């Protein structure tokens, strides 16, 4: 009988603890990735190790302490739950391992465990709904770096994106629908993690497709892997599923870093503008994250709520992510099984 199929599920990562040294270590590994901060190595090294990591770590550690639970980092807790649930859903013909792109458990460790099991195939599932070089692309690069050193390389498959999977759209829509049915919300904000504009331009292999504008109005062959286009398409699919009216929603981008222009509009600006226009009740989605984490629980749910209220808004509600829900495990099962065809 042939070997089993290995499944490596991969999320971004988290510090081992919310203490400053561990947060600094995490930030250094994360931000030194050339796909995350895509500037020359020497410039990146000085920027990260002499400026960002030393000065940002204490502030970030304070935020991580707010996020932390008795069991640890929510991102890791959900990941460990996903590993167990997916293993149960897939059955004995599969071996599921959790990995983080940065910190622990690492991709190399997970692949090493799979390597020793005599597997016929390995399926890698990055937990990023929309493809981006800085997320999914970085996972691919690390997986291939590790496996390229093996003498025997099994069949290898990757899940590239899943933002347009019907079960993904329905799951996120259903999570928000219960708020819309009860809360009389006037407006919906779909907030995605931001990226520098230069990365969008660099990802345009044609050299003339990306205009950072109406080029993202539809998905086609030449922008199907564009992060910005995928985010706008995610919004369109969710809007259709939810039956939202034009003029009652917007797409925006959060978590920018540095002075270079990032893809716009910026969520913090949108939050202020909505409140100043007299919008009182807003429902917020973060459909770039499958597990609630610092960017959703703290940034979107708390910081943007405070900002909204300070500028005249009354109620700001975050729609929870998929976390360790049955619908998420059902979707993951489909994504894995689809790679068997």
């Amino acid at each position: 009988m042939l070997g089993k199929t290995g499944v490596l599920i991969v999320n971004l990562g988290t510090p081992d603890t919310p203490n400053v040294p561990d947060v600094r270590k995490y930030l250094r590994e994360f931000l030194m990735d050339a796909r995350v901060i895509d500037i020359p190595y020497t410039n990146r090294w000085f920027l990260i190790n002499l400026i960002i990591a030393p000065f940002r770590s204490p502030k970030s550690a304070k935020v991580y302490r707010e996020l932390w639970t008795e069991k640890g980092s929510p991102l890791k807790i959900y990941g460990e739950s996903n590993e167990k649930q997916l293993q149960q859903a897939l059955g004995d013909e599969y071996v599921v391992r959790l990995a983080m792109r940065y910190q622990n458990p690492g991709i190399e460790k997970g692949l090493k465990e799979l390597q020793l099991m005599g597997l016929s195939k390995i399926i890698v599932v990055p937990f990023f709904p929309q493809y981006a070089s800085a997320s999914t692309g970085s996972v691919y690069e690390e997986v291939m770096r590790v496996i390229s050193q093996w003498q025997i390389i099994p069949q290898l498959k990757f899940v590239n994106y899943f933002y347009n999977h019907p079960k993904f759209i329905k799951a996120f829509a259903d999570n928000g629908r219960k708020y819309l049915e009860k809360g009389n919300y006037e407006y919906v904000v779909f907030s995605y993690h931001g990226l520098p504009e230069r990365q969008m331009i660099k990802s345009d292999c044609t050299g003339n497709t990306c205009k950072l504008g109406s080029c993202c109005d539809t998905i086609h062959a030449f922008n199907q892997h564009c992060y910005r286009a995928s985010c706008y398409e995610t919004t369109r699919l969710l809007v259709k599923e939810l039956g939202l009216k034009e003029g009652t929603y917007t797409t925006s981008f959060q978590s920018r870093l540095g002075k270079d222009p990032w893809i716009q509009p910026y969520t913090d600006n949108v939050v202020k503008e909505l409140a100043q226009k007299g919008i009182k009740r807003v429902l917020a989605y973060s459909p770039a994250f499958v597990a609630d984490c610092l960017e959703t629980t703290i940034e979107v749910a708390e910081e943007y709520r405070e900002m909204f209220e300070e500028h005249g808004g009354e109620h700001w509600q975050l729609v929870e992510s998929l976390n360790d829900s049955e619908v998420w495990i059902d979707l993951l099962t489909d994504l894995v099984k689809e790679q068997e065809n």
Side-chain angles (χ1 to χ4, degrees):
M1 185 176 70
L2 294 177
K4 299 180 180 182
T5 295
V7 179
L8 190 73
I9 55 175
V10 187
N11 212 333
L12 186 72
T14 176
D16 290 334
T17 75
N19 298 327
V20 173
D22 284 330
V23 172
R24 184 183 300 116
K25 182 180 179 182
Y26 169 74
L27 289 176
R28 280 176 172 158
E29 183 182 358
F30 173 37
L31 299 176
M32 278 301 295
D33 187 336
R35 286 180 177 266
V36 174
I37 296 187
D38 54 333
I39 60 177
Y41 175 82
T42 301
N43 294 358
R44 186 169 68 254
W45 192 96
F46 279 104
L47 176 65
I48 303 308
N49 289 284
L50 300 184
I51 299 175
I52 295 180
F55 292 100
R56 190 183 179 98
S57 297
K59 180 180 178 181
S60 295
K62 182 179 179 181
V63 179
Y64 273 111
R65 281 193 289 272
E66 294 179 40
L67 180 72
W68 227 253
T69 71
E70 291 182 359
K71 294 182 179 179
S73 166
L75 194 73
K76 191 172 182 181
I77 293 168
Y78 287 131
E80 291 170 343
S81 178
N82 294 162
E83 180 185 56
K84 293 176 182 177
Q85 290 175 285
L86 184 58
Q87 181 67 73
Q88 184 175 9
L90 289 172
D92 293 339
E93 293 305 307
Y94 294 83
V95 179
V96 181
R97 287 292 182 271
L98 168 70
M100 298 294 179
R101 175 60 187 90
Y102 312 105
Q103 296 299 289
N104 301 302
I107 287 176
E108 187 163 8
K109 178 179 182 293
L111 287 173
K112 180 65 174 178
E113 292 180 7
L114 295 177
Q115 182 190 23
L116 299 175
M117 295 181 181
L119 304 174
S120 296
K121 179 189 300 182
I122 295 176
I123 298 171
V124 181
V125 188
F127 276 14
F128 310 113
Q130 303 84 13
Y131 177 90
S133 172
S135 54
T136 309
S138 181
V139 170
Y140 287 8
E141 184 173 296
E142 178 65 5
V143 168
M144 291 187 286
R145 181 193 70 80
V146 173
I147 290 184
S148 67
Q149 301 173 39
W150 296 2
Q151 289 299 309
I152 298 175
I153 299 177
Q155 184 178 2
L156 185 63
K157 289 197 171 184
F158 294 94
V159 173
N160 196 259
Y161 55 78
F162 52 88
Y163 68 87
N164 57 352
H165 195 291
K167 289 186 178 180
F168 174 78
I169 295 301
K170 187 176 188 307
F172 256 104
D174 286 348
N175 279 356
R177 191 174 278 116
K178 61 180 178 289
Y179 294 108
L180 289 169
E181 290 174 350
K182 298 178 181 179
N184 192 30
Y185 290 91
E186 304 163 70
Y187 209 85
V188 180
V189 172
F190 297 95
S191 181
Y192 301 82
H193 198 287
L195 289 173
E197 288 183 353
R198 67 175 183 274
Q199 292 188 9
M200 299 300 96
I201 296 170
K202 284 171 64 175
S203 70
D204 177 12
C205 298
T206 70
N208 58 19
T209 299
C210 180
K211 307 296 183 185
L212 295 169
S214 60
C215 52
C216 294
D217 287 350
T218 59
I219 292 289
H220 50 78
F222 297 110
N223 73 353
Q224 61 180 314
H225 294 104
C226 170
Y227 176 73
R228 183 178 184 271
S230 298
C231 291
Y232 276 102
E233 180 69 3
T234 306
T235 293
R236 287 190 289 269
L237 292 170
L238 284 168
V239 164
K240 182 178 180 181
E241 179 69 22
L242 290 166
L244 300 180
K245 297 179 181 179
E246 284 297 320
T248 64
Y249 63 88
T250 195
T251 297
S252 60
F253 300 89
Q254 65 189 75
S255 309
R256 66 186 184 275
L257 175 67
K259 297 181 179 179
D260 288 346
W262 283 42
I263 46 179
Q264 300 181 45
Y266 301 137
T267 302
D268 53 353
N269 290 343
V270 168
V271 171
K272 297 172 188 176
E273 290 168 3
L274 289 174
Q276 291 168 351
K277 288 179 180 178
I279 300 294
K280 298 299 183 183
R281 299 177 63 83
V282 173
L283 188 65
Y285 273 91
S286 288
F289 302 92
V290 297
D292 283 316
C293 53
L294 186 147
E295 287 84 357
T296 63
T297 304
I298 302 298
E299 185 173 10
V300 177
E302 295 186 11
E303 294 178 3
Y304 290 156
R305 175 183 55 79
E306 292 173 2
M307 187 182 299
F308 185 61
E309 293 174 354
E310 286 173 3
H311 287 81
E314 293 180 358
H315 185 64
W316 174 276
Q317 175 66 53
L318 171 68
V319 175
E320 65 272 19
S321 193
L322 305 184
N323 297 325
D324 58 355
S325 61
E326 290 184 11
V327 291
W328 172 225
I329 302 305
D330 187 37
L331 170 56
L332 281 175
T333 303
D334 279 6
L335 293 175
V336 171
K337 294 290 184 67
E338 287 167 4
Q339 300 305 310
E340 298 281 23
N341 298 329

